[in-house]
């Protein structure tokens, strides 16, 4: 299984041939399904699916004997170790692959890979791998969205302070913060479904895309068999803007996961203490400080997002190839495609666990909300004064001077306003009290939830 950040070591003198040196950086959390998609064995098996589909299409068109296609379909098999063994001599992975398959097929193997160029097989097969990997990412997004929605509903009415610039702003609920994440995840789902279609494209058009040796109908039949669309036009390869689109969307998803993780990290600071990552029995936070409970999962997600963004940049570099194709993209894709999918899949799975087990300190949220002594209702007081005929500029001055006194003198904002002659002339004690009603501030939360969750 390919691991995150596997180092692909090239045999001396080889252009195509890479062998995996597995460095398991996240072995406990790597999804075996995602890893299997990018294994050498699965890659060669996927190439074989393309070869079999091509042989069947050519047999149906009368280009190769039907019995040859039948032999290829029934006898063909591939073993990664055997391909690697042959490749050490051929220094060409596709030739090593066809040679290894031919050992199983027998004489009919002369019709294997008939009229095809390597990229017909490689790019079409890679589309199948990317599509399958996208399906797992979509599954991960759905699982995370479900966990986020569950916790959002749980804390729909849990009041907390909203912060702008890291400073107390106005009251909100923790459920609203999570609902914001859910809406963002739904946008990612739309992007992923869209890009899944973008990369689900095959080509069997030859060395420079001219169908010099096979009719376009062969490509159409092969792609239909594999559930792909035929590229409208290709060079030797499917154009890499498609792959850059895919990697950029994975990077945007990773960036959102990083944003969510950074929020949890901020709220877990000792001075804030409103939420905590789950901390298991027997878990240790520091080798030197036994008291530590650190947000290591969210910190890991922050780091992995950087990696995925860097891979997206490499995908952009792959778009510009010389003329009808060079090989500069090949070595890059062997790293960035599996690594990005494996990283994002892991990020989704780990963050789903974090959200599901997130410890929410409701009392601390209320305590922090009260720490600013009521100044977070200053906007409501400003509007109430304006409604009663005070100019906005004058009302702002009255409210601000009392807010500054509250900060400097550590006094309750509402008490200072009650004692302020200018304010008390306009607002009665009852009206001032109503301006500090948190339920009024949050009266539209259900409407927001309806918009987000339907």
């Amino acid at each position: 299984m390919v691991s995150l950040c596997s180092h692909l070591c090239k045999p001396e003198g080889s252009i195509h041939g890479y062998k995996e040196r597995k460095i398991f950086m996240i072995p406990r959390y790597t999804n075996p399904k995602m890893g299997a998609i990018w294994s050498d064995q699965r890659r060669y098996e996927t190439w074989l699916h393309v070869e079999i589909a091509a042989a069947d299409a050519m047999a149906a068109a009368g280009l190769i004997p039907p019995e040859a296609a039948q032999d290829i379909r029934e006898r063909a098999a591939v073993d990664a170790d055997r391909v690697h063994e042959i490749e050490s001599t051929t220094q060409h992975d596709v030739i090593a692959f066809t040679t290894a398959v031919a050992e199983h097929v027998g004489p009919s193997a002369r019709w294997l890979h008939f009229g095809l160029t390597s990229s017909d097989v490689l790019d079409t097969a890679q589309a199948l791998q990317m599509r399958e990997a996208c399906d797992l990412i979509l599954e991960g997004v759905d699982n995370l969205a479900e966990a986020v929605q569950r916790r959002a509903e749980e804390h729909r009415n849990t009041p907390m302070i909203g912060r702008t610039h890291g400073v107390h702003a106005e009251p909100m609920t923790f459920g609203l913060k999570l609902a914001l994440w859910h809406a963002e995840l739904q946008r990612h789902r739309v992007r992923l479904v869209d890009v899944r279609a973008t990369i689900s494209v095959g080509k069997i058009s030859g060395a420079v895309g001219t169908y010099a040796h096979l009719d376009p109908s062969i490509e159409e039949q092969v792609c239909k068999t594999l559930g792909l669309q035929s590229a409208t036009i290709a060079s030797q390869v499917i154009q890499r803007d498609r792959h850059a689109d895919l990697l950029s969307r994975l990077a945007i998803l990773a960036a959102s996961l990083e944003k969510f993780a950074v929020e949890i990290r901020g709220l877990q600071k000792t001075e804030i203490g409103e939420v905590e990552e789950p901390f298991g029995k027997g878990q240790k936070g520091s080798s030197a400080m036994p008291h530590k409970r650190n947000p290591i999962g969210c910190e890991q997600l922050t780091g992995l997002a950087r990696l995925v963004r860097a891979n997206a940049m490499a995908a952009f570099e792959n778009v510009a190839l010389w003329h009808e194709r060079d090989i500069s993209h090949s070595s890059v894709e062997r790293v960035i495609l599996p690594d990005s999918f494996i990283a994002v899949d892991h990020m989704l799975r780990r963050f789903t666990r974090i959200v599901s087990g997130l410890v929410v300190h409701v009392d601390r949220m209320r305590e922090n909300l009260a720490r600013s002594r009521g100044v977070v209702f200053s906007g409501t007081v400003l509007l109430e004064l304006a409604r009663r005929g005070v100019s906005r500029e004058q009302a702002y001055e009255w409210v601000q001077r009392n807010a500054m006194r509250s900060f400097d003198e550590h006094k309750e904002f509402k008490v200072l306003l009650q004692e302020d002659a200018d304010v008390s002339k306009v607002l009665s004690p009852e009206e001032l009290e109503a301006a500090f009603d948190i339920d009024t501030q949050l009266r539209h939360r259900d409407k927001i939830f309806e918009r987000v969750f339907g």
Side-chain angles (χ1 to χ4, degrees), residues 124-396:
T124 304
Q126 187 164 264
L128 296 174
Q129 290 176 283
M130 292 187 293
R131 183 179 66 183
E132 186 179 0
C134 279
D135 288 339
L136 288 181
I137 296 297
L138 282 165
E139 180 182 327
V141 169
D142 289 343
N143 290 339
L144 176 56
E146 180 181 348
V148 169
Q149 180 173 357
R150 185 170 59 252
R151 299 309 301 272
E153 292 288 359
E154 178 186 348
H155 292 285
R156 177 191 291 231
N157 300 316
T158 300
M160 67 178 297
I161 187 62
R163 298 171 173 90
T164 58
H165 305 275
V167 176
H168 283 203
E170 291 187 341
M172 61 180 299
T173 74
F174 187 54
L176 288 171
K177 188 183 292 289
L178 296 174
L180 185 78
W181 297 0
H182 189 277
E184 193 159 341
L185 288 169
Q186 294 311 302
R187 292 195 295 276
H188 283 297
R189 194 180 205 292
V190 172
R191 293 186 189 106
L192 289 166
V193 169
D194 178 63
V195 81
R196 181 186 185 277
T198 297
I199 53 86
S200 295
V201 171
K203 58 91 63 180
I204 307 290
S205 55
V208 292
T210 59
Y211 302 96
H213 306 294
L214 294 173
D215 189 85
S217 62
I218 300 300
E219 177 187 85
E220 293 169 6
Q221 183 56 50
V222 170
C223 289
K224 181 179 179 181
T225 298
L226 299 173
L228 301 173
Q229 293 294 317
S230 295
T232 306
I233 184 172
S235 59
Q236 188 176 95
V237 295
I238 292 172
Q239 300 308 287
R240 260 46 192 179
D241 64 289
R242 297 177 184 270
H243 303 65
D245 190 3
L246 170 65
L247 268 293
S248 68
R249 298 192 194 212
L250 290 178
I252 297 169
L253 172 55
S256 288
L257 296 174
E258 178 186 18
K259 180 181 83 171
F260 307 156
V262 166
E263 181 67 16
I264 291 175
R265 290 169 59 193
L267 296 179
Q268 189 167 334
K269 289 180 180 179
T270 303
E271 294 80 3
I272 296 176
E274 294 179 351
V275 302
E276 282 187 279
E277 279 188 18
F279 194 84
K281 183 178 181 180
Q283 184 176 339
K284 305 294 187 289
S286 167
S287 63
M289 296 170 284
H291 71 279
K292 295 282 279 178
R293 294 194 302 215
N294 302 324
I296 58 170
C298 288
E299 289 171 343
Q300 182 191 76
L301 299 185
T302 301
L304 289 177
R306 298 169 185 167
L307 175 67
V308 179
R309 280 196 293 275
N311 287 350
M313 182 60 68
F316 297 153
E317 299 289 343
N318 276 354
V319 173
L321 303 178
W322 281 23
H323 307 299
E324 277 57 62
R325 188 244 182 152
D326 64 63
I327 201 173
S328 60
H329 66 289
S330 178
S331 56
V332 179
E333 287 176 359
R334 292 167 191 257
V335 176
I336 65 174
L337 285 174
D339 279 10
S340 295
F341 273 111
I342 289 172
V344 173
D345 178 75
H346 166 71
M347 293 174 74
L348 286 165
R349 287 157 55 86
R350 181 148 204 192
F351 195 62
T352 299
R353 289 192 297 273
I354 289 172
V355 169
S356 297
L358 192 67
V359 180
V360 181
H361 298 292
V362 175
D363 290 343
R364 187 56 179 264
M365 288 181 174
R366 292 184 180 275
E367 179 185 336
N368 286 340
L369 182 57
R371 283 174 67 88
S372 47
R373 302 180 182 85
V375 296
V376 296
F377 294 97
S378 67
T380 303
V381 177
L382 171 66
L383 294 178
E384 291 303 317
L385 289 169
R387 283 193 182 97
R388 287 160 178 79
V390 182
S391 72
R392 180 179 177 84
E393 291 74 20
Q394 185 65 76
Y396 195 102

Side-chain angles (χ1 to χ4, degrees), residues 37-93:
I37 292 171
W38 301 105
S39 68
D40 280 350
Q41 183 63 33
R42 176 71 70 82
R43 182 168 71 251
Y44 298 140
E45 289 170 356
T46 309
W47 292 3
L48 188 54
H49 290 324
V50 177
E51 293 281 6
I52 291 171
D56 284 340
M58 284 186 272
L63 297 179
I64 70 172
E67 58 272 18
Q70 181 177 354
D71 284 346
I72 293 170
R73 188 185 327 110
E74 295 177 355
R75 298 180 183 178
V78 66
D79 177 75
D81 289 339
R82 179 57 179 151
V83 174
H84 294 158
E85 181 182 359
I86 297 170
E87 187 184 357
S88 66
T89 298
T90 65
Q91 302 295 298
H92 193 291
D93 53 355

